Amino acid sequence: MDLITASQFSLVYNAFSFTFATMAAATLFLWLGRSQVGPAYKTALTISGLVCAIAAYHYLRIFDSWNEAYELKDGVLVATGVAFNDAYRYVDWLLTVPLLLIELILVMRLTQAETTSKCLKLGFAAALMIVLGYPGEIADNNSTRALWGTLSAIPFLYIVWELFKGLGESIERQPESVRKLIKDARLVTFGAWGFYPIVYMIPYTGLTGGNVETALQIGYTIADVIAKAGVGVMIYVIAVRKSAIEYPEYAK
């Protein structure tokens, strides 16, 4: 375990606590918000809420693991010998990252064939990206981390291409009142996902000791809040606006 200071421990502790509360609140908001959208968009909000619910559970486990890894003795923070379990984060991503793409596709209400095709392709690519990134995350040297990080970048680049090229024409067919919002949701998704590899490369910087662990945990946490709760709220707004257009009873 990298030695961290008491202030660094507290910073990460509070970030995990905040994120758990954010994900739990977003889950309730999205699931309760299903009553405000038409039938075609309820599944998108259900999945968006599920993403936040899965994240809330895993952040609770991450929070507990962080507490078990360190303790304060005579005013000095020391490692307990129980390793901080970062695998919770990758298990969470393996479940939620494919769902994040699926919720964006569902709220666009494409044809059944197009929806099925894109969900399968993007979902598989997202899962592959996470699986390939994990060996590098737990590696004890930067060369191994770089190898698996590079392999993980291949499906990531495919996802980016699909988001901007593959979905480009489909987005242009969306109602004008939501077209920009869908583009914004796509851009925020790309921005948040693009932040993950930047955080992944923190060990390559000049940071040492506990600074590396602290930066990793805070960086991943910020990206999670934006990609899941932030995009989830955008999905809700898109669903509400499209429902008002397509279902007269929701126009009010």
Side-chain angles (χ1 to χ4, degrees):
M1 296 289 291
D2 291 325
L3 294 178
I4 65 172
T5 65
S7 60
Q8 288 173 332
F9 173 85
S10 180
L11 177 62
V12 176
Y13 175 100
N14 290 328
F16 289 162
S17 177
F18 170 81
T19 304
F20 166 72
T22 300
M23 296 299 183
T27 299
L28 292 176
F29 173 80
L30 291 165
W31 283 347
L32 292 175
R34 292 177 75 255
S35 63
Q36 301 176 42
V37 302
Y41 302 104
K42 292 186 185 296
T43 301
L45 289 194
T46 298
I47 291 178
S48 190
L50 182 61
V51 166
C52 293
I54 294 171
Y57 166 75
H58 282 108
Y59 264 95
L60 181 61
R61 300 303 302 269
I62 291 171
F63 179 82
D64 289 339
S65 180
W66 185 255
N67 281 333
E68 292 173 358
Y70 300 98
E71 64 178 341
L72 199 63
K73 286 186 176 180
D74 300 324
V76 178
L77 194 72
V78 297
T80 62
V82 178
F84 172 59
N85 188 356
D86 222 11
Y88 288 130
R89 203 179 278 287
Y90 273 79
V91 172
D92 174 82
W93 290 341
L94 186 61
L95 296 171
T96 59
V97 170
L99 292 177
L100 284 167
L101 292 171
I102 291 172
E103 71 183 41
L104 181 60
I105 294 169
L106 288 177
V107 83
M108 292 174 63
R109 200 180 182 184
L110 307 176
T111 64
Q112 183 175 353
E114 194 174 7
T115 297
T116 301
S117 174
K118 291 189 180 299
C119 283
L120 288 175
K121 289 179 181 178
L122 289 174
F124 176 76
L128 182 62
M129 176 180 67
I130 301 305
V131 170
L132 290 174
Y134 182 64
E137 189 69 61
I138 61 175
D140 56 4
N141 62 83
N142 283 346
S143 59
T144 303
R145 189 180 186 91
L147 170 63
W148 288 102
T150 301
L151 292 175
S152 179
I154 297 173
F156 172 73
L157 292 175
Y158 168 76
I159 291 170
V160 172
W161 184 87
E162 278 289 345
L163 283 175
F164 287 89
K165 180 65 176 179
L167 288 177
E169 293 183 3
S170 300
I171 291 176
E172 293 302 323
R173 297 196 300 267
Q174 295 293 305
E176 186 176 353
S177 63
V178 298
R179 198 177 300 155
K180 183 180 185 303
L181 190 56
I182 293 175
K183 290 181 179 179
D184 289 343
R186 178 182 63 176
L187 190 61
V188 171
T189 299
F190 166 71
W193 285 29
F195 190 57
Y196 287 108
I198 294 175
V199 177
Y200 186 90
M201 292 187 291
I202 284 176
Y204 306 141
T205 67
L207 294 177
T208 59
N211 292 325
V212 174
E213 182 69 15
T214 303
L216 282 172
Q217 299 308 324
I218 295 297
Y220 284 146
T221 299
I222 292 172
D224 276 344
V225 170
I226 296 172
K228 295 169 185 175
V231 172
V233 172
M234 298 182 77
I235 294 295
Y236 165 80
V237 176
I238 294 169
V240 168
R241 290 187 183 180
K242 293 189 71 177
S243 295
I245 297 171
E246 300 170 14
Y247 298 91
E249 62 270 34
Y250 292 97
K252 61 183 179 180

